[in-house]
Amino acid sequence: MLKMEFEQEDWMLEGGCVYSDTDLFFPVGSSMKAMKQANEAKAICMECPVVTECLEYAIRTNQDSGIWGGTTEDERKSIRRQYRKTGLVING
Ligand code: SF4
Protein backbone atom coordinates (compact mmCIF):
# COMPACT_ATOMS: atom_id res chain seq x y z
CA MET A 1 0.00 0.00 0.00
CA LEU A 2 2.93 2.34 0.42
CA LYS A 3 3.14 3.96 -2.99
CA MET A 4 0.47 6.65 -2.67
CA GLU A 5 1.07 10.09 -1.25
CA PHE A 6 0.34 10.17 2.44
CA GLU A 7 1.81 11.18 5.72
CA GLN A 8 3.76 8.38 7.39
CA GLU A 9 2.26 7.15 10.66
CA ASP A 10 3.97 4.76 13.11
CA TRP A 11 1.45 1.94 12.69
CA MET A 12 2.33 1.68 8.99
CA LEU A 13 5.64 0.04 9.82
CA GLU A 14 3.74 -2.88 11.38
CA GLY A 15 1.56 -3.48 8.34
CA GLY A 16 1.44 -6.94 6.84
CA CYS A 17 1.99 -5.35 3.45
CA VAL A 18 5.32 -3.77 4.27
CA TYR A 19 7.23 -6.69 2.77
CA SER A 20 4.58 -7.75 0.28
CA ASP A 21 4.31 -7.09 -3.43
CA THR A 22 2.95 -3.55 -3.65
CA ASP A 23 1.10 -4.35 -6.88
CA LEU A 24 -1.20 -6.70 -4.96
CA PHE A 25 -2.55 -3.72 -3.04
CA PHE A 26 -3.17 -1.62 -6.14
CA PRO A 27 -4.79 -3.95 -8.65
CA VAL A 28 -5.69 -2.25 -11.91
CA GLY A 29 -9.07 -2.76 -13.55
CA SER A 30 -11.55 -5.57 -12.99
CA SER A 31 -9.86 -8.45 -14.80
CA MET A 32 -9.58 -11.86 -13.21
CA LYS A 33 -5.94 -11.08 -12.47
CA ALA A 34 -6.86 -7.86 -10.70
CA MET A 35 -9.57 -9.61 -8.68
CA LYS A 36 -7.11 -12.32 -7.68
CA GLN A 37 -4.58 -9.68 -6.61
CA ALA A 38 -7.21 -7.88 -4.55
CA ASN A 39 -8.22 -11.11 -2.83
CA GLU A 40 -4.59 -11.92 -2.05
CA ALA A 41 -4.09 -8.44 -0.61
CA LYS A 42 -7.25 -8.70 1.47
CA ALA A 43 -6.07 -12.04 2.86
CA ILE A 44 -2.86 -10.35 4.02
CA CYS A 45 -4.92 -7.56 5.59
CA MET A 46 -7.02 -10.05 7.53
CA GLU A 47 -3.83 -11.22 9.30
CA CYS A 48 -2.49 -7.70 9.77
CA PRO A 49 -2.09 -6.39 13.33
CA VAL A 50 -2.94 -2.83 12.27
CA VAL A 51 -5.98 -3.50 10.08
CA THR A 52 -8.20 -1.23 12.19
CA GLU A 53 -5.75 1.67 12.14
CA CYS A 54 -5.27 1.21 8.41
CA LEU A 55 -8.96 1.31 7.58
CA GLU A 56 -9.54 4.30 9.83
CA TYR A 57 -6.66 6.12 8.18
CA ALA A 58 -7.95 5.30 4.69
CA ILE A 59 -11.38 6.66 5.53
CA ARG A 60 -10.12 9.69 7.41
CA THR A 61 -7.69 10.69 4.65
CA ASN A 62 -9.98 9.72 1.77
CA GLN A 63 -7.77 7.07 0.17
CA ASP A 64 -9.78 6.19 -2.88
CA SER A 65 -7.56 3.68 -4.61
CA GLY A 66 -6.05 0.39 -3.59
CA ILE A 67 -6.68 -2.06 -0.79
CA TRP A 68 -6.60 -0.51 2.68
CA GLY A 69 -7.65 -2.18 5.90
CA GLY A 70 -8.94 -5.19 4.00
CA THR A 71 -11.30 -3.17 1.82
CA THR A 72 -11.50 -2.24 -1.83
CA GLU A 73 -12.27 1.23 -3.14
CA ASP A 74 -15.91 0.29 -3.65
CA GLU A 75 -16.25 -1.22 -0.18
CA ARG A 76 -14.87 1.98 1.34
CA LYS A 77 -17.49 4.13 -0.36
CA SER A 78 -20.26 2.93 1.94
CA ILE A 79 -17.96 3.00 4.97
CA ARG A 80 -17.08 6.60 4.08
CA ARG A 81 -20.75 7.58 3.77
CA GLN A 82 -21.39 6.13 7.22
CA TYR A 83 -18.32 7.91 8.58
CA ARG A 84 -19.59 11.27 7.30
CA LYS A 85 -22.90 10.72 9.09
CA THR A 86 -21.64 9.27 12.36
CA GLY A 87 -17.91 9.96 12.64
CA LEU A 88 -17.42 6.21 13.10
CA VAL A 89 -15.52 3.82 10.85
CA ILE A 90 -17.60 0.67 10.70
CA ASN A 91 -16.73 -2.16 8.34
CA GLY A 92 -19.57 -4.54 7.67
S1 SF4 B 1 -4.46 -3.67 6.74
FE1 SF4 B 1 -3.66 -4.33 4.76
S2 SF4 B 1 -3.13 -2.48 3.63
FE2 SF4 B 1 -3.37 -1.94 5.79
S3 SF4 B 1 -1.32 -2.05 6.70
FE3 SF4 B 1 -2.29 -4.02 7.01
S4 SF4 B 1 -1.71 -5.30 5.27
FE4 SF4 B 1 -1.27 -3.16 4.73
Side-chain angles (χ1 to χ4, degrees):
M1 76 173 203
L2 301 176
K3 70 179 181 185
M4 302 298 287
E5 283 186 30
F6 56 86
E7 217 167 290
Q8 183 82 30
E9 295 194 0
D10 290 347
W11 61 264
M12 292 176 177
L13 298 174
E14 298 175 42
C17 56
V18 168
Y19 299 108
S20 301
D21 178 0
T22 310
D23 288 347
L24 287 180
F25 290 84
F26 290 93
V28 177
S30 57
S31 66
M32 284 299 287
K33 181 182 176 192
M35 290 171 61
K36 188 170 179 269
Q37 287 176 316
N39 285 335
E40 283 182 44
K42 289 171 79 171
I44 294 170
C45 293
M46 291 303 105
E47 302 293 324
C48 178
V50 292
V51 65
T52 301
E53 291 89 338
C54 183
L55 180 58
E56 288 175 355
Y57 177 85
I59 298 299
R60 194 166 28 89
T61 61
N62 226 10
Q63 300 297 325
D64 59 4
S65 62
I67 305 295
W68 290 78
T71 63
T72 64
E73 297 98 332
D74 284 345
E75 290 165 341
R76 286 196 302 279
K77 286 178 186 170
S78 63
I79 297 170
R80 192 171 292 120
R81 275 194 298 274
Q82 189 71 15
Y83 175 72
R84 287 189 187 119
K85 285 184 199 166
T86 66
L88 300 172
V89 176
I90 300 169
N91 185 13

Coordinates of all heavy atoms in Angstrom, one line a residue:
M1 N 0.8 -1.2 0.0 CA 0.0 0.0 0.0 C 0.8 1.3 0.0 O 0.3 2.3 -0.1 CB -0.9 0.0 1.2 CG -0.2 0.3 2.5 SD -1.3 0.5 3.8 CE -0.2 1.5 4.8
L2 N 2.1 1.2 0.1 CA 2.9 2.3 0.4 C 3.4 3.1 -0.8 O 4.5 3.6 -0.8 CB 4.1 1.9 1.3 CG 3.7 1.3 2.6 CD1 4.9 0.8 3.4 CD2 2.9 2.2 3.5
K3 N 2.6 3.2 -1.9 CA 3.1 4.0 -3.0 C 2.3 5.2 -3.3 O 2.5 5.9 -4.2 CB 3.3 3.1 -4.2 CG 2.1 2.6 -4.9 CD 2.5 1.8 -6.1 CE 1.3 1.3 -6.9 NZ 1.6 0.4 -8.0
M4 N 1.3 5.5 -2.5 CA 0.5 6.6 -2.7 C 1.1 7.8 -1.8 O 1.9 7.5 -1.0 CB -1.0 6.4 -2.2 CG -1.7 5.3 -2.9 SD -1.8 5.5 -4.7 CE -3.1 6.8 -4.7
E5 N 0.6 9.0 -2.1 CA 1.1 10.1 -1.3 C 0.3 10.1 0.0 O -0.9 10.1 0.0 CB 0.9 11.4 -2.0 CG 1.9 11.6 -3.1 CD 1.7 13.0 -3.7 OE1 1.3 13.9 -3.0 OE2 2.1 13.1 -4.8
F6 N 1.0 10.1 1.1 CA 0.3 10.2 2.4 C 1.4 10.5 3.5 O 2.6 10.4 3.2 CB -0.4 8.9 2.8 CG 0.6 7.7 2.8 CD1 1.3 7.4 3.9 CD2 0.7 6.9 1.6 CE1 2.2 6.3 3.8 CE2 1.5 5.8 1.6 CZ 2.3 5.5 2.7
E7 N 0.9 10.9 4.6 CA 1.8 11.2 5.7 C 2.1 9.9 6.5 O 1.2 9.1 6.8 CB 1.1 12.2 6.7 CG 2.1 13.2 7.2 CD 1.4 14.3 7.9 OE1 0.8 15.1 7.1 OE2 1.4 14.4 9.1
Q8 N 3.4 9.6 6.7 CA 3.8 8.4 7.4 C 3.3 8.4 8.8 O 3.4 9.4 9.5 CB 5.3 8.3 7.4 CG 5.8 7.0 8.0 CD 5.8 5.8 7.0 OE1 5.9 6.0 5.8 NE2 5.6 4.6 7.5
E9 N 2.7 7.3 9.3 CA 2.3 7.1 10.7 C 2.9 5.9 11.2 O 3.2 4.9 10.4 CB 0.7 7.1 10.8 CG 0.1 8.3 10.3 CD -1.4 8.4 10.7 OE1 -1.9 7.5 11.4 OE2 -2.0 9.5 10.4
D10 N 3.2 5.9 12.5 CA 4.0 4.8 13.1 C 3.4 3.4 12.8 O 4.1 2.4 12.6 CB 4.1 5.0 14.6 CG 5.0 6.1 15.0 OD1 5.7 6.6 14.1 OD2 4.9 6.6 16.2
W11 N 2.1 3.2 12.9 CA 1.4 1.9 12.7 C 1.8 1.3 11.3 O 1.7 0.1 11.2 CB -0.1 2.0 12.9 CG -0.8 2.9 11.9 CD1 -1.1 4.2 12.2 CD2 -1.2 2.6 10.6 NE1 -1.7 4.7 11.0 CE2 -1.8 3.8 10.1 CE3 -1.1 1.5 9.8 CZ2 -2.3 3.8 8.8 CZ3 -1.7 1.5 8.5 CH2 -2.3 2.7 8.0
M12 N 2.1 2.2 10.4 CA 2.3 1.7 9.0 C 3.5 0.7 8.9 O 3.5 -0.2 8.1 CB 2.5 2.9 8.0 CG 1.3 3.7 7.8 SD 1.6 5.1 6.8 CE 0.0 5.8 6.7
L13 N 4.5 0.9 9.8 CA 5.6 0.0 9.8 C 5.3 -1.4 10.3 O 6.1 -2.3 10.0 CB 6.7 0.6 10.7 CG 7.2 2.0 10.3 CD1 8.2 2.6 11.3 CD2 7.9 1.9 8.9
E14 N 4.2 -1.6 10.9 CA 3.7 -2.9 11.4 C 2.8 -3.6 10.4 O 2.4 -4.7 10.7 CB 3.0 -2.7 12.7 CG 3.9 -2.2 13.8 CD 3.1 -1.9 15.1 OE1 2.3 -2.8 15.5 OE2 3.3 -0.9 15.7
G15 N 2.5 -2.9 9.3 CA 1.6 -3.5 8.3 C 2.1 -4.8 7.7 O 3.2 -4.9 7.4
G16 N 1.1 -5.7 7.5 CA 1.4 -6.9 6.8 C 1.9 -6.8 5.4 O 2.5 -7.7 4.8
C17 N 1.6 -5.6 4.8 CA 2.0 -5.3 3.4 C 3.4 -4.8 3.3 O 3.9 -4.6 2.2 CB 1.0 -4.4 2.8 SG 0.8 -2.9 3.7
V18 N 4.0 -4.5 4.4 CA 5.3 -3.8 4.3 C 6.3 -4.6 3.4 O 7.0 -4.0 2.6 CB 5.9 -3.5 5.7 CG1 7.4 -3.1 5.6 CG2 5.1 -2.5 6.4
Y19 N 6.3 -5.9 3.6 CA 7.2 -6.7 2.8 C 6.5 -7.5 1.7 O 7.1 -8.5 1.2 CB 8.0 -7.6 3.7 CG 8.8 -6.8 4.7 CD1 8.4 -6.8 6.1 CD2 9.9 -6.1 4.3 CE1 9.2 -6.1 7.0 CE2 10.7 -5.4 5.3 CZ 10.3 -5.4 6.6 OH 11.0 -4.6 7.5
S20 N 5.3 -7.1 1.3 CA 4.6 -7.8 0.3 C 4.7 -7.0 -1.1 O 5.2 -5.9 -1.1 CB 3.1 -7.8 0.7 OG 2.9 -8.5 1.9
D21 N 4.3 -7.7 -2.1 CA 4.3 -7.1 -3.4 C 3.3 -5.9 -3.5 O 2.1 -6.1 -3.3 CB 3.9 -8.2 -4.4 CG 3.8 -7.6 -5.9 OD1 4.1 -6.4 -6.1 OD2 3.5 -8.5 -6.7
T22 N 3.8 -4.7 -3.7 CA 2.9 -3.5 -3.6 C 1.8 -3.6 -4.7 O 0.7 -3.2 -4.5 CB 3.8 -2.3 -3.9 OG1 4.9 -2.3 -3.1 CG2 3.0 -1.0 -3.7
D23 N 2.1 -4.3 -5.8 CA 1.1 -4.3 -6.9 C -0.2 -5.1 -6.4 O -1.3 -4.8 -6.9 CB 1.7 -5.1 -8.1 CG 2.7 -4.2 -8.8 OD1 2.8 -3.0 -8.6 OD2 3.4 -4.8 -9.7
L24 N 0.0 -6.0 -5.5 CA -1.2 -6.7 -5.0 C -2.2 -5.7 -4.4 O -3.4 -5.9 -4.5 CB -0.8 -7.7 -3.9 CG -0.1 -9.0 -4.2 CD1 0.2 -9.8 -3.0 CD2 -0.9 -9.8 -5.2
F25 N -1.7 -4.7 -3.8 CA -2.6 -3.7 -3.0 C -3.1 -2.6 -3.9 O -3.9 -1.8 -3.5 CB -1.8 -3.1 -1.8 CG -1.6 -4.2 -0.8 CD1 -0.5 -5.1 -0.9 CD2 -2.5 -4.3 0.3 CE1 -0.3 -6.1 0.1 CE2 -2.3 -5.3 1.2 CZ -1.2 -6.2 1.1
F26 N -2.6 -2.6 -5.2 CA -3.2 -1.6 -6.1 C -3.5 -2.3 -7.5 O -2.9 -2.0 -8.5 CB -2.2 -0.5 -6.3 CG -2.1 0.4 -5.1 CD1 -1.1 0.2 -4.2 CD2 -3.0 1.4 -4.9 CE1 -1.0 0.9 -3.0 CE2 -2.9 2.2 -3.8 CZ -1.9 2.0 -2.8
P27 N -4.4 -3.3 -7.4 CA -4.8 -4.0 -8.7 C -5.4 -3.0 -9.6 O -6.2 -2.1 -9.2 CB -5.8 -5.0 -8.2 CG -6.3 -4.5 -6.9 CD -5.2 -3.7 -6.3
V28 N -5.2 -3.2 -10.9 CA -5.7 -2.2 -11.9 C -6.8 -2.9 -12.7 O -6.6 -4.0 -13.2 CB -4.6 -1.8 -12.9 CG1 -5.1 -0.9 -14.0 CG2 -3.5 -1.1 -12.1
G29 N -8.0 -2.3 -12.8 CA -9.1 -2.8 -13.5 C -9.9 -3.8 -12.8 O -9.8 -3.9 -11.6
S30 N -10.7 -4.6 -13.6 CA -11.6 -5.6 -13.0 C -11.4 -6.9 -13.6 O -12.3 -7.7 -13.7 CB -13.0 -5.1 -13.1 OG -13.3 -4.9 -14.5
S31 N -10.2 -7.2 -14.2 CA -9.9 -8.5 -14.8 C -9.8 -9.5 -13.7 O -9.7 -9.2 -12.5 CB -8.5 -8.4 -15.5 OG -7.5 -8.1 -14.6
M32 N -9.7 -10.8 -14.2 CA -9.6 -11.9 -13.2 C -8.3 -11.7 -12.4 O -8.2 -12.0 -11.2 CB -9.6 -13.2 -13.9 CG -11.0 -13.7 -14.4 SD -12.1 -13.9 -13.0 CE -11.5 -15.3 -12.2
K33 N -7.2 -11.3 -13.1 CA -5.9 -11.1 -12.5 C -6.0 -10.0 -11.4 O -5.5 -10.2 -10.3 CB -4.9 -10.7 -13.5 CG -3.5 -10.5 -12.9 CD -2.5 -10.0 -13.9 CE -1.2 -9.8 -13.2 NZ -0.2 -9.1 -14.0
A34 N -6.7 -8.9 -11.7 CA -6.9 -7.9 -10.7 C -7.7 -8.3 -9.5 O -7.4 -8.0 -8.3 CB -7.5 -6.6 -11.3
M35 N -8.7 -9.1 -9.8 CA -9.6 -9.6 -8.7 C -8.8 -10.6 -7.8 O -8.9 -10.6 -6.6 CB -10.8 -10.3 -9.2 CG -11.8 -9.2 -9.8 SD -13.2 -10.0 -10.8 CE -14.0 -10.9 -9.5
K36 N -7.9 -11.4 -8.4 CA -7.1 -12.3 -7.7 C -6.1 -11.5 -6.8 O -5.9 -11.9 -5.6 CB -6.4 -13.2 -8.7 CG -5.6 -14.4 -8.0 CD -5.1 -15.4 -9.1 CE -4.4 -16.5 -8.5 NZ -2.9 -16.3 -8.4
Q37 N -5.5 -10.5 -7.4 CA -4.6 -9.7 -6.6 C -5.3 -9.0 -5.4 O -4.7 -9.0 -4.3 CB -4.0 -8.6 -7.5 CG -3.0 -9.1 -8.5 CD -2.5 -7.9 -9.4 OE1 -3.3 -7.1 -9.9 NE2 -1.2 -7.9 -9.7
A38 N -6.5 -8.5 -5.6 CA -7.2 -7.9 -4.5 C -7.5 -8.9 -3.4 O -7.4 -8.6 -2.3 CB -8.5 -7.3 -5.1
N39 N -7.9 -10.1 -3.8 CA -8.2 -11.1 -2.8 C -7.0 -11.5 -2.1 O -7.0 -11.7 -0.8 CB -8.9 -12.3 -3.5 CG -10.3 -12.0 -3.9 OD1 -11.0 -11.2 -3.3 ND2 -10.8 -12.7 -4.9
E40 N -5.8 -11.6 -2.7 CA -4.6 -11.9 -2.0 C -4.2 -10.8 -1.1 O -3.8 -11.1 0.1 CB -3.5 -12.1 -3.1 CG -3.5 -13.4 -3.8 CD -2.3 -13.6 -4.7 OE1 -1.2 -13.3 -4.4 OE2 -2.6 -14.0 -5.9
A41 N -4.4 -9.6 -1.5 CA -4.1 -8.4 -0.6 C -5.0 -8.5 0.6 O -4.6 -8.3 1.7 CB -4.2 -7.1 -1.4
K42 N -6.3 -8.7 0.4 CA -7.3 -8.7 1.5 C -6.9 -9.8 2.5 O -7.1 -9.7 3.7 CB -8.7 -8.8 0.9 CG -9.1 -7.5 0.2 CD -10.4 -7.7 -0.5 CE -11.6 -7.6 0.4 NZ -12.9 -7.6 -0.3
A43 N -6.4 -10.9 2.0 CA -6.1 -12.0 2.9 C -4.9 -11.6 3.8 O -4.9 -12.0 4.9 CB -5.7 -13.3 2.0
I44 N -4.0 -10.9 3.2 CA -2.9 -10.4 4.0 C -3.4 -9.4 5.1 O -3.0 -9.4 6.2 CB -1.8 -9.7 3.1 CG1 -1.1 -10.7 2.2 CG2 -0.8 -8.9 3.9 CD1 -0.3 -10.2 1.1
C45 N -4.3 -8.5 4.7 CA -4.9 -7.6 5.6 C -5.6 -8.3 6.8 O -5.5 -7.8 7.9 CB -5.9 -6.7 4.9 SG -5.2 -5.6 3.6
M46 N -6.3 -9.4 6.5 CA -7.0 -10.0 7.5 C -6.1 -10.6 8.6 O -6.5 -10.8 9.7 CB -7.9 -11.2 6.9 CG -9.0 -10.7 6.1 SD -10.1 -9.5 7.0 CE -9.7 -8.0 6.3
E47 N -4.8 -10.8 8.3 CA -3.8 -11.2 9.3 C -3.0 -10.1 9.9 O -2.1 -10.3 10.7 CB -2.9 -12.2 8.6 CG -3.5 -13.4 8.0 CD -4.1 -14.3 9.1 OE1 -3.5 -14.5 10.2 OE2 -5.2 -14.9 8.8
C48 N -3.3 -8.9 9.4 CA -2.5 -7.7 9.8 C -2.8 -7.2 11.2 O -4.0 -6.9 11.5 CB -2.7 -6.6 8.7 SG -1.8 -5.1 9.0
P49 N -1.8 -6.9 12.0 CA -2.1 -6.4 13.3 C -2.6 -4.9 13.4 O -3.1 -4.5 14.4 CB -0.7 -6.5 14.0 CG 0.3 -6.4 12.9 CD -0.4 -7.1 11.7
V50 N -2.5 -4.2 12.3 CA -2.9 -2.8 12.3 C -4.1 -2.6 11.3 O -4.3 -1.5 10.8 CB -1.8 -1.9 12.0 CG1 -0.8 -1.9 13.1 CG2 -1.1 -2.2 10.7
V51 N -4.9 -3.6 11.1 CA -6.0 -3.5 10.1 C -7.0 -2.4 10.5 O -7.5 -1.6 9.6 CB -6.7 -4.9 9.8 CG1 -7.4 -5.3 11.1 CG2 -7.6 -4.8 8.7
T52 N -7.3 -2.3 11.7 CA -8.2 -1.2 12.2 C -7.6 0.2 11.9 O -8.3 1.0 11.4 CB -8.5 -1.4 13.7 OG1 -9.1 -2.7 13.9 CG2 -9.5 -0.4 14.2
E53 N -6.4 0.4 12.3 CA -5.7 1.7 12.1 C -5.7 2.0 10.6 O -5.9 3.2 10.2 CB -4.3 1.7 12.7 CG -4.3 1.6 14.2 CD -4.2 0.2 14.8 OE1 -4.7 -0.8 14.1 OE2 -3.8 0.0 15.9
C54 N -5.4 1.0 9.9 CA -5.3 1.2 8.4 C -6.6 1.6 7.8 O -6.6 2.6 7.0 CB -4.8 -0.1 7.8 SG -4.5 0.0 6.0
L55 N -7.7 0.9 8.1 CA -9.0 1.3 7.6 C -9.4 2.7 8.1 O -9.9 3.5 7.3 CB -10.0 0.3 7.9 CG -11.4 0.6 7.4 CD1 -11.4 0.7 5.9 CD2 -12.4 -0.5 7.9
E56 N -9.2 3.0 9.3 CA -9.5 4.3 9.8 C -8.8 5.4 9.1 O -9.3 6.4 8.7 CB -9.3 4.4 11.3 CG -10.3 3.6 12.1 CD -10.0 3.6 13.6 OE1 -9.0 4.1 14.1 OE2 -10.9 3.0 14.3
Y57 N -7.5 5.1 8.9 CA -6.7 6.1 8.2 C -7.2 6.3 6.8 O -7.3 7.5 6.3 CB -5.2 5.6 8.2 CG -4.3 6.5 7.4 CD1 -3.7 7.6 8.0 CD2 -4.0 6.3 6.0 CE1 -2.9 8.5 7.3 CE2 -3.2 7.1 5.3 CZ -2.6 8.2 6.0 OH -1.8 9.1 5.3
A58 N -7.5 5.2 6.1 CA -7.9 5.3 4.7 C -9.2 6.1 4.6 O -9.4 6.9 3.7 CB -8.1 3.9 4.1
I59 N -10.1 5.9 5.6 CA -11.4 6.7 5.5 C -11.1 8.1 5.9 O -11.6 9.0 5.2 CB -12.4 6.0 6.5 CG1 -12.7 4.6 6.1 CG2 -13.7 6.9 6.6 CD1 -13.3 4.4 4.7
R60 N -10.4 8.3 6.9 CA -10.1 9.7 7.4 C -9.4 10.5 6.4 O -9.7 11.7 6.2 CB -9.3 9.6 8.7 CG -9.1 10.8 9.5 CD -8.6 10.5 10.9 NE -7.7 9.3 11.1 CZ -6.4 9.4 10.9 NH1 -5.8 10.5 10.6 NH2 -5.6 8.3 11.1
T61 N -8.5 9.9 5.6 CA -7.7 10.7 4.6 C -8.2 10.5 3.2 O -7.5 10.9 2.3 CB -6.2 10.3 4.8 OG1 -6.1 8.9 4.5 CG2 -5.7 10.6 6.1
N62 N -9.3 9.8 3.1 CA -10.0 9.7 1.8 C -9.1 9.0 0.7 O -9.0 9.4 -0.4 CB -10.3 11.1 1.3 CG -11.7 11.2 0.7 OD1 -12.5 10.3 0.9 ND2 -12.0 12.3 0.0
Q63 N -8.5 7.9 1.1 CA -7.8 7.1 0.2 C -8.8 6.4 -0.8 O -9.5 5.5 -0.3 CB -6.9 6.0 0.9 CG -5.9 6.7 1.9 CD -4.9 7.6 1.2 OE1 -4.5 7.3 0.0 NE2 -4.5 8.6 1.8
D64 N -8.8 6.7 -2.0 CA -9.8 6.2 -2.9 C -9.2 5.2 -3.9 O -9.9 4.8 -4.9 CB -10.6 7.3 -3.6 CG -9.7 8.2 -4.4 OD1 -8.5 8.0 -4.5 OD2 -10.2 9.2 -4.9
S65 N -8.0 4.8 -3.7 CA -7.6 3.7 -4.6 C -6.8 2.7 -3.8 O -6.2 3.0 -2.8 CB -6.7 4.2 -5.8 OG -5.6 4.8 -5.3
G66 N -6.8 1.4 -4.2 CA -6.1 0.4 -3.6 C -6.8 -0.3 -2.5 O -7.9 0.0 -2.1
I67 N -6.1 -1.3 -1.9 CA -6.7 -2.1 -0.8 C -6.1 -1.5 0.5 O -4.9 -1.3 0.6 CB -6.3 -3.5 -0.9 CG1 -6.7 -4.2 -2.2 CG2 -6.8 -4.3 0.3 CD1 -8.1 -4.3 -2.4
W68 N -7.0 -1.1 1.4 CA -6.6 -0.5 2.7 C -7.5 -1.2 3.7 O -8.7 -1.2 3.6 CB -6.8 1.0 2.7 CG -5.9 1.8 1.9 CD1 -6.0 2.0 0.6 CD2 -4.8 2.6 2.4 NE1 -5.0 2.9 0.1 CE2 -4.3 3.2 1.2 CE3 -4.2 2.8 3.6 CZ2 -3.2 4.1 1.3 CZ3 -3.1 3.7 3.7 CH2 -2.6 4.3 2.6
G69 N -6.9 -1.6 4.8 CA -7.7 -2.2 5.9 C -8.6 -3.3 5.5 O -9.6 -3.5 6.0
G70 N -8.2 -4.0 4.5 CA -8.9 -5.2 4.0 C -10.1 -4.8 3.1 O -11.0 -5.6 3.0
T71 N -10.2 -3.6 2.6 CA -11.3 -3.2 1.8 C -10.8 -2.6 0.5 O -9.8 -2.1 0.3 CB -12.1 -2.1 2.5 OG1 -11.3 -0.9 2.7 CG2 -12.6 -2.5 3.9
T72 N -11.7 -2.8 -0.5 CA -11.5 -2.2 -1.8 C -12.0 -0.8 -1.9 O -12.7 -0.4 -0.9 CB -12.3 -3.0 -2.9 OG1 -13.7 -2.9 -2.6 CG2 -11.8 -4.5 -2.9
E73 N -11.7 -0.1 -3.0 CA -12.3 1.2 -3.1 C -13.8 1.2 -3.0 O -14.3 2.1 -2.3 CB -11.9 1.8 -4.5 CG -10.5 1.9 -4.8 CD -9.9 0.8 -5.6 OE1 -10.4 -0.4 -5.5 OE2 -8.9 1.0 -6.3
D74 N -14.4 0.3 -3.7 CA -15.9 0.3 -3.7 C -16.4 0.0 -2.2 O -17.4 0.6 -1.8 CB -16.5 -0.8 -4.6 CG -16.4 -0.3 -6.1 OD1 -16.2 0.9 -6.3 OD2 -16.5 -1.1 -7.0
E75 N -15.8 -0.9 -1.5 CA -16.2 -1.2 -0.2 C -16.1 0.0 0.7 O -16.9 0.2 1.6 CB -15.5 -2.4 0.4 CG -15.8 -3.7 -0.3 CD -14.8 -4.8 -0.1 OE1 -13.7 -4.6 0.3 OE2 -15.2 -6.0 -0.3
R76 N -15.1 0.8 0.5 CA -14.9 2.0 1.3 C -15.9 3.1 1.1 O -16.1 3.9 1.9 CB -13.4 2.5 1.2 CG -12.4 1.6 1.9 CD -11.1 2.3 2.1 NE -10.5 2.8 0.8 CZ -9.8 2.0 0.0 NH1 -9.6 0.7 0.3 NH2 -9.3 2.5 -1.1
K77 N -16.5 3.1 -0.1 CA -17.5 4.1 -0.4 C -18.6 4.1 0.7 O -19.0 5.2 1.2 CB -18.1 4.0 -1.8 CG -17.1 4.4 -2.8 CD -17.7 4.2 -4.2 CE -16.6 4.5 -5.3 NZ -17.0 4.1 -6.6
S78 N -19.2 3.0 1.0 CA -20.3 2.9 1.9 C -19.8 3.2 3.4 O -20.4 3.8 4.2 CB -21.0 1.6 1.9 OG -20.2 0.5 2.2
I79 N -18.5 2.7 3.6 CA -18.0 3.0 5.0 C -17.8 4.5 5.1 O -18.0 5.1 6.2 CB -16.6 2.2 5.1 CG1 -16.9 0.7 5.1 CG2 -15.9 2.6 6.4 CD1 -15.6 -0.1 5.0
R80 N -17.3 5.1 4.0 CA -17.1 6.6 4.1 C -18.4 7.4 4.3 O -18.4 8.3 5.0 CB -16.4 7.0 2.8 CG -15.8 8.5 2.9 CD -15.0 8.8 1.7 NE -13.7 8.0 1.7 CZ -13.3 7.2 0.8 NH1 -14.0 7.0 -0.3 NH2 -12.2 6.5 0.9
R81 N -19.4 6.9 3.6 CA -20.8 7.6 3.8 C -21.2 7.5 5.2 O -21.7 8.5 5.8 CB -21.8 6.9 2.9 CG -21.8 7.5 1.5 CD -23.1 7.0 0.7 NE -23.2 5.6 0.6 CZ -22.6 4.9 -0.4 NH1 -22.0 5.5 -1.4 NH2 -22.8 3.6 -0.5
Q82 N -21.0 6.3 5.8 CA -21.4 6.1 7.2 C -20.5 7.0 8.1 O -21.0 7.6 9.1 CB -21.2 4.6 7.6 CG -21.8 4.3 8.9 CD -23.3 4.3 9.0 OE1 -23.9 4.3 7.9 NE2 -23.8 4.3 10.1
Y83 N -19.3 7.1 7.8 CA -18.3 7.9 8.6 C -18.7 9.4 8.6 O -18.7 10.1 9.6 CB -16.9 7.7 8.0 CG -15.9 8.6 8.7 CD1 -15.4 8.3 10.0 CD2 -15.3 9.7 8.0 CE1 -14.5 9.1 10.6 CE2 -14.3 10.5 8.6 CZ -13.9 10.2 9.9 OH -13.0 11.0 10.5
R84 N -19.2 9.9 7.4 CA -19.6 11.3 7.3 C -20.8 11.5 8.2 O -21.0 12.6 8.7 CB -19.9 11.6 5.9 CG -18.6 11.8 5.0 CD -18.9 12.4 3.7 NE -17.7 12.3 2.9 CZ -17.6 11.6 1.7 NH1 -18.6 11.0 1.2 NH2 -16.4 11.7 1.1
K85 N -21.7 10.5 8.3 CA -22.9 10.7 9.1 C -22.6 10.6 10.6 O -23.2 11.3 11.4 CB -24.0 9.7 8.7 CG -24.6 9.9 7.4 CD -25.7 8.8 7.3 CE -26.1 8.7 5.8 NZ -26.9 7.5 5.5
T86 N -21.8 9.6 10.9 CA -21.6 9.3 12.4 C -20.3 9.6 13.0 O -20.1 9.6 14.2 CB -21.9 7.8 12.6 OG1 -20.8 7.1 11.9 CG2 -23.2 7.3 12.0
G87 N -19.3 9.8 12.1 CA -17.9 10.0 12.6 C -17.3 8.6 13.0 O -16.2 8.6 13.6
L88 N -17.9 7.5 12.7 CA -17.4 6.2 13.1 C -17.0 5.5 11.8 O -17.7 5.5 10.8 CB -18.5 5.4 13.9 CG -19.0 6.0 15.2 CD1 -20.2 5.2 15.7 CD2 -17.9 6.1 16.2
V89 N -15.9 4.7 12.0 CA -15.5 3.8 10.9 C -16.0 2.4 11.2 O -15.5 1.8 12.1 CB -14.0 3.8 10.7 CG1 -13.6 2.9 9.6 CG2 -13.5 5.3 10.4
I90 N -17.0 2.0 10.4 CA -17.6 0.7 10.7 C -17.5 -0.1 9.4 O -18.1 0.2 8.4 CB -19.1 0.8 11.1 CG1 -19.1 1.7 12.4 CG2 -19.7 -0.5 11.4 CD1 -20.5 2.1 12.8
N91 N -16.9 -1.3 9.5 CA -16.7 -2.2 8.3 C -17.7 -3.3 8.5 O -17.5 -4.2 9.4 CB -15.3 -2.7 8.2 CG -15.1 -3.5 7.0 OD1 -15.9 -3.5 6.1 ND2 -13.9 -4.1 6.9
G92 N -18.7 -3.4 7.7 CA -19.6 -4.5 7.7 C -20.9 -4.3 8.4 O -21.3 -3.4 8.9
Ligands
SF4_1 S1 -4.5 -3.7 6.7 FE1 -3.7 -4.3 4.8 S2 -3.1 -2.5 3.6 FE2 -3.4 -1.9 5.8 S3 -1.3 -2.0 6.7 FE3 -2.3 -4.0 7.0 S4 -1.7 -5.3 5.3 FE4 -1.3 -3.2 4.7

